[in-house]
Amino acid sequence: MNHPMHLILDSYSHPGISLFWKRHGLRIMEQLVPNEFFFTTGDTTLEKLVERQIWSGWKKLILIGSPGSIRRGFNTLMQASEECRSTLEIGFWPLDLQELAASISQSSFHLRPVLQVFKAGHTLLVDVMKVQFLAPELETKYFWNDFVINSTQANAETTIYIDGQNSQVNGKFRCRILFHDESLNSLTMHPGKLTRTPVLKVYLKRDEGLTTVDRFKQIKQWFAAEKGNADEETLLKTGKQVEVQGNWANLTLDVSGMQDTVQSVHFEVARKSFSLIVPAKPIQTLESTKKILPAFRPTGAIANNRGSS
């Protein structure tokens, strides 16, 4: 089935996106010829636009915006039912500071490979990370990249179950569950990496309970650029099912707006969650822009679903 293309531009949230569209908007419209075109305003939020397009279904939906816009779009997408998501082909085109600087300074001719990816519309069903916890009611969240848990009690005893095997961790620590290495970007995604066996990687960084004197020495090392292995994580194990169980509700979650502690968190892979538009060969970020501006990597995309299981 040939899905009609609907294009959403989040120009309201980031001034750089507006400049990008003024520079290349006409060329993009001429090449993609979308059936519908929408842009955000003060009254029309990105979430409203995306939700409206998702619920009407059966379309190719392209979202252009900042990395933050892509996270919000992913969030709204994953709030929808599986039945709604199955009718869509989704393309994400994030533009960070590097890409905006390069794109605005170049002619629209350089966008031809990008636009061809969306015109061709090659898709793959992709997996995402599903996270569930009680806070205080059951919440389900979906992440693309990673998820961070912190143990905040020095006397806490935490058990991490990975595919049925358990590890005991005492005291304070930082645990990061990694799924996709690549950011959510239709243009740089490598199709081969999306078809490999999905596993969750569990990384651990312990808090050794340093004394005041030790912490002072550590700060001196930081200023002396001798940080060394202080911030290094250790790969604990990989698996398809992960459960983190603490006591005294000692676990805090790195989730925006989430302040309550929780006692346990469950992770699993949600298979074939939606159809992502990807290129046959990934388009790499222009190397020249890396010499102009520092890299700003987006954090993992997040989605909420309250009260679902």
Side-chain angles (χ1 to χ4, degrees):
M1 178 179 178
N2 188 18
H3 288 54
M5 181 184 293
H6 288 202
L7 182 64
I8 295 179
L9 178 76
D10 188 18
S11 55
Y12 183 78
S13 300
H14 195 294
I17 302 299
S18 297
L19 293 174
F20 168 82
W21 191 254
K22 289 179 181 179
R23 181 81 168 93
H24 301 295
L26 180 60
R27 176 71 173 181
I28 293 173
M29 294 294 284
E30 288 177 345
Q31 292 296 309
L32 295 184
V33 195
N35 296 71
E36 298 284 350
F37 171 64
F38 307 94
F39 58 90
T40 56
T41 66
D43 297 323
T44 307
T45 65
L46 176 64
E47 286 78 6
K48 287 182 179 179
L49 287 176
V50 174
E51 183 177 343
R52 190 184 308 158
Q53 298 307 307
I54 290 173
W55 287 112
S56 57
W58 298 109
K59 62 176 63 71
K60 180 191 296 183
L61 184 61
I62 311 298
L63 173 58
I64 305 174
S66 67
S69 303
I70 301 306
R71 291 194 294 272
R72 291 164 57 199
F74 174 83
N75 178 74
T76 306
L77 171 68
M78 294 306 299
Q79 287 180 13
S81 67
E82 184 178 350
E83 290 75 17
C84 285
R85 297 198 306 268
S86 66
T87 66
L88 302 170
E89 297 174 350
I90 309 293
F92 292 106
W93 186 357
L95 292 163
D96 60 17
L97 291 179
Q98 295 181 52
E99 289 149 339
L100 284 172
S103 299
I104 293 173
S105 64
Q106 294 176 340
S107 71
S108 298
F109 175 81
H110 294 275
L111 296 180
R112 289 182 60 186
V114 172
L115 300 178
Q116 183 57 40
V117 170
F118 294 123
K119 287 178 66 176
H122 176 66
T123 62
L124 282 177
L125 283 167
V126 294
D127 307 326
V128 301
M129 179 166 56
K130 180 179 179 180
V131 185
Q132 291 184 306
F133 54 88
L134 288 171
E137 62 185 22
L138 180 66
E139 290 198 22
T140 301
K141 296 179 179 289
Y142 297 90
F143 288 71
W144 180 260
N145 290 116
D146 58 6
F147 184 89
V148 174
I149 305 173
N150 292 290
S151 174
T152 59
Q153 302 290 337
N155 297 324
E157 296 179 355
T158 305
T159 305
I160 302 177
Y161 298 90
I162 306 174
D163 287 349
Q165 298 184 5
N166 64 292
S167 301
Q168 292 290 135
V169 185
N170 297 325
K172 298 181 180 181
F173 64 86
R174 177 182 185 271
C175 180
R176 186 168 68 97
I177 316 297
L178 176 66
F179 189 46
H180 289 293
D181 296 317
E182 304 82 12
S183 60
L184 185 53
N185 186 336
S186 289
L187 306 173
T188 58
M189 201 69 64
H190 196 295
K193 293 183 178 180
L194 295 175
T195 57
R196 62 193 175 191
T197 303
V199 293
L200 302 169
K201 300 176 183 178
V202 182
Y203 289 90
L204 195 67
K205 179 179 180 295
R206 298 175 184 269
D207 187 327
E208 302 297 342
L210 299 178
T211 65
T212 303
V213 175
D214 290 334
R215 290 194 181 280
F216 179 72
K217 291 180 179 179
Q218 187 182 64
I219 292 173
K220 289 180 64 178
Q221 288 180 341
W222 288 345
F223 281 110
E226 297 175 356
K227 194 171 181 180
N229 298 330
D231 282 342
E232 284 191 1
E233 301 172 317
T234 301
L235 177 61
L236 188 62
K237 202 175 185 299
T238 64
K240 296 182 179 180
Q241 297 267 350
V242 177
E243 181 94 18
V244 181
Q245 292 187 355
N247 57 1
W248 305 335
N250 65 302
L251 304 176
T252 61
L253 310 181
D254 189 12
V255 176
S256 176
M258 176 73 183
Q259 297 181 346
D260 295 333
T261 58
V262 299
Q263 190 162 344
S264 65
V265 190
H266 178 77
F267 300 83
E268 62 183 77
V269 177
R271 300 299 310 274
K272 304 183 185 305
S273 293
F274 64 93
S275 293
L276 177 67
I277 296 175
V278 296
K281 181 179 180 181
I283 302 174
Q284 301 298 331
T285 303
L286 294 175
E287 290 294 329
S288 59
T289 60
K290 295 181 180 179
K291 300 177 182 178
I292 303 173
L293 295 172
F296 290 88
R297 295 188 61 188
T299 58
I302 304 175
N304 304 328
N305 247 340
R306 283 186 171 269
S308 62
S309 59

